[in-house]
Amino acid sequence: MGEAAAATAVEDIQKGTAVVVPAPRPSKGVASWAVDLLERLVVRLGHDKAKSLHWLSGNFAPVRDETPPAAGLPVRGHLPECLNGEFVRVGPNPKFIPVAGVNTIICTCFDAHTSVHTGLMETGIMIHAMRIKDGKATYVSRYVKTSRLKQEEYFGGAKFMKIGDLKGFFGLFMVQMQELRKKLKVLDATYGIGTANTAFIYHHGKLMALSEADKPYVVKVLEDGDLQTLGLLDYDKRLKHSFTAHPKVDPFTDEMFTFGYSHEPPYCTYRVITKDGVMLDPVPITIPESVMMHDFAITENYSIFMDLPLMFRPKEMVKNGEFIYKFDPTKKARFGILQRYEKDEKSIRWFELPNCFIFHNANAWEEGDEVVLITCRVENPDLDKVNGQQNEKLENFGNELYEMRFNMKTGAASQKQLSVSAVDFPRINESYTGRKQRYVYCTILDSIAKVTGVIKFDLHAEPDSSKKQLEVGGNVSGIYDLGPGRFGSEAVFIPKVPGVTGEEDDGYLILFVHDENTGKSEVNVIDAKTMSADPVAVVELPNRVPYGFHAFFVNEEQLGLQDV
């Protein structure tokens, strides 16, 4: 598509919608120079440049240049017709090296005014995408043109605070530097300072790139697979708080359910967005103090909120030299269940289970009087373990698949372990979102950030308690192992036939893979029913794809609805 045609398409999308084009107005000058000088002096005194930056090396290292559509990629095997669409994966990709380096890969990030989010909070976020059409594949990579990126491109360098900075007195100093830049109008926070680097969702004809410190960014997929950032989505100015990276779309009603969390009251705000893209009034959810709330879940009739004891503790950060988020092992894990369309929180039911943290849920549904939640549970997470100055091999968090049950009649809560360590990034056939389903696909974690394979769980089978490691048997019906020196990312399930009329696991899993032995990257397509070690297709990519976060698939029908 030519530039003129692409510009026209963007203009047509922006008309009559709530997409806002960020136009920040940062400023250079004496004030900017003076703040930069002060920051550099303090960083030089407090930051050891001799230490290696793990998250900027190897395949964690960013790729600086975008890749325009590269068509006709080599395909071994075949790409089934149901894969026609755009496969996208997001991840941190700093365009400019941070002043004090990069200190975290999968932790919390803090916006000094509004909210927090999970993921590496960096200047740039790059989408890696593969357009599939009639058995042929095209690769493209593009930055999401956030307000944050536009401002750092203006300065030609990093200007915003990073999560790894938020520890001890140095953390307080970096917060003050960012606030000073805002006050002196060096930086412009009018359009937020989020990164859109964590996950995707598709709703009401829009593909959105998400991070929970900001509003969604709408990204248009062009005919040739290219990607173009349209702008922020503020739902006609009705969205005034942060927006989770993991909203849920009900496939039966086409409504979207979401929330935002903050370090100031109300610590959590719930929202419903109609199938026509209208955001309904906010519903504040009362919790005792600010916590990280990365995910939630829905059933046919309920929304489930997680008040888990990973606490926002800025005072302890300064006083004790700790990370700004601290897990409190003395507190219970609390789960709040609210009717989906309530206009206030009066009827919410709270349940308690042993303390834990949860990054990602697989699904939830109702069985009689019980609400069932399938989730990846973590005990005693220490986010400081994933600092940038670490060895190649990290101790993982012990993520395990669990079933949790909440009885809406008696108030009882229970949980059952479904796997050993370490699994996360659970995905299902999303035609069953909010409804009872059988199969869950998780990534197998070698460390906090390296995926060695994909594992398939059968929820109708009992786990084998005699197994001390992840292997086939019991409720594990298949494992796709990537092999030595090969690591992947989140695998997305694509059904052969959309809906719930066919077999639930009749489809494919698609994921990006990087081979550290050869330095090459590829996309693997595997049979989700058989989990055969022989991939259905392997697509060779022209460039290295760094390790990243969540992935998503936009089918051909959804691509066609972008202009409607």
Side-chain angles (χ1 to χ4, degrees), residues 36-113:
D36 287 351
L37 178 62
L38 176 60
E39 183 180 67
R40 283 196 297 269
L41 288 172
V42 173
V43 168
R44 180 171 295 181
L45 294 173
H47 175 63
D48 186 358
K49 289 188 176 181
K51 292 184 178 180
S52 63
L53 296 174
H54 178 67
W55 306 119
L56 283 179
S57 63
N59 199 46
F60 292 108
V63 289
R64 303 297 180 199
D65 297 326
E66 296 177 312
T67 303
L73 300 179
V75 179
R76 303 197 303 271
H78 74 285
L79 294 168
E81 185 179 355
C82 65
L83 298 187
N84 283 351
E86 185 103 350
F87 174 53
V88 291
R89 202 220 63 198
V90 74
N93 196 86
K95 191 170 185 178
F96 304 102
I97 298 298
V99 176
V102 178
N103 290 338
T104 313
I105 183 66
I106 191 167
C107 285
T108 56
C109 302
F110 164 61
D111 171 350
H113 272 314

Side-chain angles (χ1 to χ4, degrees), residues 134-172:
D134 299 330
K136 298 179 180 180
T138 299
Y139 169 77
V140 62
S141 66
R142 295 292 187 189
Y143 285 104
V144 178
K145 309 299 184 183
T146 63
S147 174
R148 182 187 183 100
L149 177 62
K150 288 181 177 181
Q151 293 185 69
E152 295 201 337
E153 287 180 333
Y154 169 78
F155 287 108
K159 293 291 178 182
F160 289 90
M161 176 179 65
K162 309 298 183 292
I163 176 56
D165 301 335
L166 298 181
K167 183 178 180 181
F169 183 79
F170 183 75
L172 176 63

Side-chain angles (χ1 to χ4, degrees), residues 389-403:
Q389 290 118 9
Q390 293 282 353
N391 296 324
E392 172 71 17
K393 185 77 171 179
L394 294 179
E395 178 185 350
N396 63 53
F397 280 178
N399 310 46
E400 296 161 340
L401 192 67
Y402 265 74
E403 175 190 275

